[in-house]
Amino acid sequence: MSTQEILKKSKEAWTNTGLIDTDTKNRVLRAMAEQLRQDTDKILEANNTDVEKSRGIISDVMLDRLLLSRERINGMAEGISAVAELPDPVGVVMEEHTHKNGMVIKKVSVPIGVVAIIYESRPNVTSDAAALAFKSGNACILRSGKEAWNSANAVVNSLRTALHDCGIPKEFVSLIEDTDRRSANEIMTANEYVDLLIPRGGHGLISACVNNATVPCIQTGTGICHIYVDTDADLEMAVNIVNNAKTSRPSVCNACEVCLVHEEIAGEFLPMLQNAIGNRVELRLDKAAAEYINGKAAGENDFDTEFLDYILAVKIVRDAEEAIAHIGKHSTHHSEAIITENHVTAEKFLNMVDSSSVYWNASTRFTDGGEFGLGCEMGISTQKLHARGPMGLRELTTYKYKIYGNGQIR
């Protein structure tokens, strides 16, 4: 089916179905979760095709993003079930007042409509996006990268089976069949059919969408995340946090890419850090850091790169003010952290760093819809309108005003 046909059918399904009640939504979501579990073997077979095609072409770290297992599919199903347990974000009366002429004016949350998601090589995005879109009353159009298309197709087929069995049009969840650049451009300019576009992926994908889309677009994902280790830090805590933020899963957008270290503790902290991470992480060091530990000299772009790999840029700074200034210049406004026991310095950092999620004595790896109590996430917005940070159900709604009168005229 062509991209235009898929776009049209999705819009028609959403427009003609009307609002789906909460009980039906939750019943469908539970059926989706169960269907995923039943179709695990089919999904794994499709995923194996994708993995084998990509082996030797993409890095091992990126291959891990693509890989599914029984445990990961079960996790996807659990994510859908978790969304079913969350409050319905649609139909909430956000504000209400009575006009002096007696009209009752209500501001009520409603679905956005048709939400398109363009993403790359993470198959779990398929089920997360579909679950969140459906619970918030939206139809979703998924456009996967070619590396993950077979996996995404298997997941979508499973979800559509559940939709059909529950009497809901299967077009509420659709996957674009064409994976070349043309289909992405069609989605970006589909003003007649798409109400919101959410890109999830690397800098190139997000920039292409933000720069070329004529439909409303939310900038997500790219994470040049910083951790600043202050002079008043508990150094063992700092080592543990930086190690976790860099190495627990380096291919994700909330992984730490830059470590800033106060000059007064650099001589003690940096050898501790290098001893903890061993040879797993390639360090890109500024001149001052290179005086204390071994690594490669940082290039001019290393403090502006989302490595998504076992690479960490390290810079020594004079104080928290210089750290904050560096982050302001180089950050993508995703997630940043300060490690310190000084409450005043910490609050200054939390207040002055202009990112969607700012941490005190905790790993940036917690910037995640599930960790924030949202069930799962549609993406992590690094802009300010209309959503910021992990996007859950509430961020997939807009609102309308409902006005109740009894003959008032102006």
Side-chain angles (χ1 to χ4, degrees):
M1 189 180 297
S2 72
T3 299
Q4 286 298 313
E5 289 174 319
I6 293 171
L7 292 168
K8 182 179 180 181
K9 285 181 178 292
S10 296
K11 188 69 170 185
E12 288 175 347
W14 183 81
T15 301
N16 296 333
T17 302
L19 292 179
I20 302 172
D21 66 86
T22 302
D23 288 343
T24 299
K25 289 179 186 177
N26 294 341
R27 176 169 57 86
V28 172
L29 288 166
R30 294 185 185 105
M32 285 179 171
E34 181 56 32
Q35 194 64 49
L36 272 186
R37 292 188 176 98
Q38 291 182 22
D39 292 341
T40 294
D41 289 339
K42 294 179 183 178
I43 296 169
L44 287 175
E45 183 179 353
N47 181 247
N48 184 65
T49 299
D50 288 333
V51 170
E52 291 308 313
K53 284 183 178 179
S54 297
R55 197 178 299 279
I57 298 174
I58 62 177
S59 70
D60 289 345
V61 170
M62 298 306 290
L63 202 64
D64 178 67
R65 293 182 72 165
L66 175 60
L67 182 66
L68 289 177
S69 63
R70 292 186 182 278
E71 291 75 19
R72 287 186 177 181
I73 294 172
N74 186 61
M76 291 159 61
E78 289 179 351
I80 296 176
S81 297
V83 172
E85 300 303 317
L86 295 173
D88 193 331
V90 176
V92 177
V93 178
M94 304 163 70
E95 297 176 14
E96 179 179 350
H97 72 277
T98 302
H99 192 280
K100 62 184 179 181
N101 66 13
M103 292 188 310
V104 177
I105 302 172
K106 296 182 180 182
K107 182 180 180 180
V108 183
S109 61
V110 296
I112 288 174
V114 176
V115 178
I117 305 95
I118 301 179
Y119 59 107
E120 293 176 338
S121 60
R122 294 181 66 183
N124 65 294
V125 172
T126 308
S127 59
D128 287 355
L132 288 168
F134 186 75
K135 180 64 179 269
S136 53
N138 301 291
C140 77
I141 297 170
L142 300 154
R143 197 273 189 184
S144 167
K146 61 184 179 181
E147 297 87 356
W149 190 87
N150 291 291
S151 306
N153 187 49
V155 172
V156 166
N157 286 339
S158 183
L159 300 179
R160 284 164 71 105
T161 296
L163 285 167
H164 179 267
D165 290 348
C166 292
I168 303 296
K170 64 181 185 296
E171 289 81 11
F172 263 76
V173 179
S174 299
L175 178 68
I176 298 297
E177 298 176 13
D178 182 4
T179 60
D180 67 18
R181 187 171 298 177
R182 180 180 57 191
S183 67
N185 291 333
E186 287 183 77
I187 295 171
M188 293 179 204
T189 56
N191 295 68
E192 184 178 357
Y193 303 119
V194 174
D195 297 292
L196 178 66
L197 171 62
I198 303 173
R200 286 193 62 172
H203 175 73
L205 168 63
I206 294 168
S207 294
C209 290
V210 171
N211 293 331
N212 298 311
T214 58
V215 301
C217 179
I218 288 184
Q219 186 170 339
T220 69
T222 304
I224 301 178
C225 301
H226 298 73
I227 295 180
Y228 165 57
V229 183
D230 185 50
T231 186
D232 296 316
D234 178 323
L235 298 189
E236 289 189 4
M237 175 194 293
V239 168
N240 290 335
I241 289 174
V242 175
N243 189 14
N244 171 264
K246 178 71 265 183
T247 67
S248 61
R249 200 169 183 194
S251 64
V252 293
C253 61
N254 57 22
C256 176
E257 304 289 18
V258 178
C259 182
L260 305 174
V261 184
H262 194 291
E263 61 183 8
E264 291 182 4
I265 51 93
E268 183 178 0
F269 171 74
L270 288 176
M272 291 172 63
L273 177 64
Q274 188 162 53
N275 183 61
I277 62 177
N279 296 322
R280 290 179 298 165
V281 178
E282 178 183 303
L283 299 174
R284 307 278 177 88
L285 310 173
D286 76 345
K287 290 182 180 180
E291 295 181 7
Y292 299 107
I293 54 174
N294 298 320
K296 290 188 176 182
E300 60 178 332
N301 296 320
D302 282 336
F303 292 100
D304 297 290
T305 299
E306 184 185 30
F307 298 113
L308 300 175
D309 205 343
Y310 288 100
I311 301 171
L312 179 67
V314 180
K315 178 180 177 62
I316 292 178
V317 294
R318 292 186 305 275
D319 49 29
E321 286 75 12
E322 185 180 352
I324 292 168
H326 178 94
I327 292 169
K329 182 178 180 180
H330 299 274
S331 171
T332 53
H333 309 292
H334 190 297
S335 301
E336 331 295 345
I338 180 172
I339 316 302
T340 186
E341 299 301 303
N342 187 313
H343 289 221
V344 174
T345 304
E347 286 297 337
K348 184 175 185 177
F349 186 93
L350 294 173
N351 291 332
M352 294 187 66
V353 170
D354 186 23
S355 294
S356 77
S357 302
V358 191
Y359 294 83
W360 176 12
N361 289 346
S363 171
T364 57
R365 288 281 286 110
F366 286 104
T367 306
D368 174 85
E371 296 292 342
F372 280 18
L374 307 179
C376 49
E377 71 188 32
M378 186 65 79
I380 296 172
S381 171
T382 55
Q383 63 185 44
K384 299 181 181 180
L385 297 176
H386 74 284
R388 197 176 197 198
M391 294 180 62
L393 294 172
R394 187 177 300 174
E395 288 73 30
L396 294 176
T397 63
T398 182
Y399 57 83
K400 68 169 63 171
Y401 287 95
K402 294 183 177 181
I403 302 93
Y404 300 81
N406 56 4
Q408 288 88 344
I409 60 175
R410 181 177 180 182

